[in-house]
Amino acid sequence: MPRRLFLLLGFSAALFLLTVAADDPKKTAPAAADWAMNGTIIEACSCPMFCQCYFNTEPAVHAGEQMHKGHEGGHYCKFNNAIKVNKGHHGATKLDGAKFWVTGDLGASYADLEGDWAVLTFDPSVTKEQREAVTTILPKLYPLKWKSFTVAKDGAIEWTANKDAARASIDGGKTAEVVLKRMQGRTDDPVVISNLKYFGEDSNSGFVLMPNVVEAYRVGDKAFEYRGTNGFMITFDIASKKPAQSAMK
């Protein structure tokens, strides 16, 4: 659903509830459903390893090849985030196993919490109720305003991962693809960055560093492809009922 239409519908619903309450003071709007999500993300972007967007509000400089495309000074962060819900709910709707994908570009700076564009793609198996839940939770996970936000046609999402590698694709790679390979550390265990915030989550298990073999979005006028740039996996928790600060990782 286009973002403008989504906002218009939301405003109309809120106005209706306010009108009902004004007509009858005894009536109140129904309480919002509680929700929670634990998910794992296969993520890659155009920035060098490790993406400085998690330390600054300005993406890395990409010298030369795309400075002419409207990003001042060559700053941009073109990303693919393939998300699989391990466990979650929104009210009575179970979210376990739902897969969805966010592609986009943070642009030259997101100091004002505004990104250039984003596209949300659902796997065909995601139900209507699950989609409604995801579109409620997603702005909490990524608390950004987008100059352009669209929901694409469904695409079959493949998602596989282990400690050494990860691969995700839409439509077998025809629409989008991310392939990650574990960064070699002192041992054969993954290299992990801990104690670092991931956008709007409540907690995470650490950034498992995996530079990309390829990260690509291959459809439309915003298509891109990068090789050997940033990549990682991360498992996060986010919920409407926030945990105690001492329990947060």
Side-chain angles (χ1 to χ4, degrees):
M1 179 182 293
R3 184 170 181 268
R4 289 182 180 176
L5 179 57
F6 180 80
L7 290 173
L8 180 60
L9 291 174
F11 176 77
S12 298
L15 183 61
F16 172 76
L17 291 173
L18 287 172
T19 303
V20 170
D23 290 341
D24 186 349
K26 295 180 180 180
K27 292 183 179 180
T28 57
D34 75 293
W35 52 264
M37 179 183 290
N38 172 279
T40 300
I41 308 173
I42 296 174
E43 179 163 334
C45 72
S46 57
C47 293
M49 195 74 179
F50 178 71
C51 178
Q52 73 177 41
C53 297
Y54 292 98
F55 300 96
N56 303 288
T57 57
E58 187 175 86
V61 175
H62 298 66
E65 109 263 28
Q66 291 197 6
M67 289 180 65
H68 65 285
K69 291 190 176 181
H71 292 306
E72 182 179 353
H75 292 272
Y76 57 88
C77 179
K78 298 185 178 184
F79 60 87
N80 280 291
N81 296 355
I83 303 169
K84 183 184 73 171
V85 180
N86 301 315
K87 187 176 181 179
H89 73 274
H90 182 274
T93 300
K94 292 289 187 182
L95 303 177
D96 304 24
K99 291 180 290 186
F100 55 97
W101 189 297
V102 184
T103 300
D105 182 2
L106 288 177
S109 171
Y110 62 98
D112 58 356
L113 294 179
E114 182 176 78
D116 265 18
W117 61 271
V119 177
L120 171 62
T121 304
F122 288 104
D123 185 84
S125 65
V126 181
T127 68
K128 176 179 179 293
E129 293 76 16
Q130 289 175 328
R131 292 166 196 247
E132 292 172 351
V134 168
T135 56
T136 296
I137 298 170
L138 198 60
K140 308 298 183 183
L141 180 61
Y142 298 116
L144 300 171
K145 298 173 292 182
W146 298 99
K147 295 176 183 176
S148 170
F149 182 87
T150 57
V151 179
K153 179 182 177 182
D154 287 1
I157 297 177
E158 177 189 353
W159 197 105
T160 58
N162 56 43
K163 75 178 187 69
D164 296 316
R167 183 178 188 276
S169 65
I170 304 177
D171 299 325
K174 293 179 181 178
T175 297
E177 182 179 25
V178 175
V179 178
L180 307 182
K181 185 177 181 181
R182 172 177 56 83
M183 174 176 280
Q184 185 60 47
R186 296 169 63 183
T187 70
D188 288 335
D189 289 328
V191 176
V192 181
I193 295 178
S194 60
N195 196 33
L196 179 62
K197 180 75 170 174
Y198 181 84
F199 291 99
E201 44 80 323
D202 296 324
S203 64
N204 71 72
S205 61
F207 295 69
V208 181
L209 303 191
M210 292 187 170
N212 73 67
V213 177
V214 62
E215 76 111 358
Y217 186 64
R218 297 186 171 118
V219 296
D221 60 356
K222 294 182 174 65
F224 59 81
E225 185 164 329
Y226 296 91
R227 295 176 182 271
T229 55
N230 180 66
F232 60 88
M233 288 183 59
I234 190 167
T235 297
F236 67 89
D237 282 286
I238 188 169
S240 56
K241 297 179 180 178
K242 302 303 179 185
Q245 186 68 30
S246 60
M248 294 174 64
K249 298 179 181 178

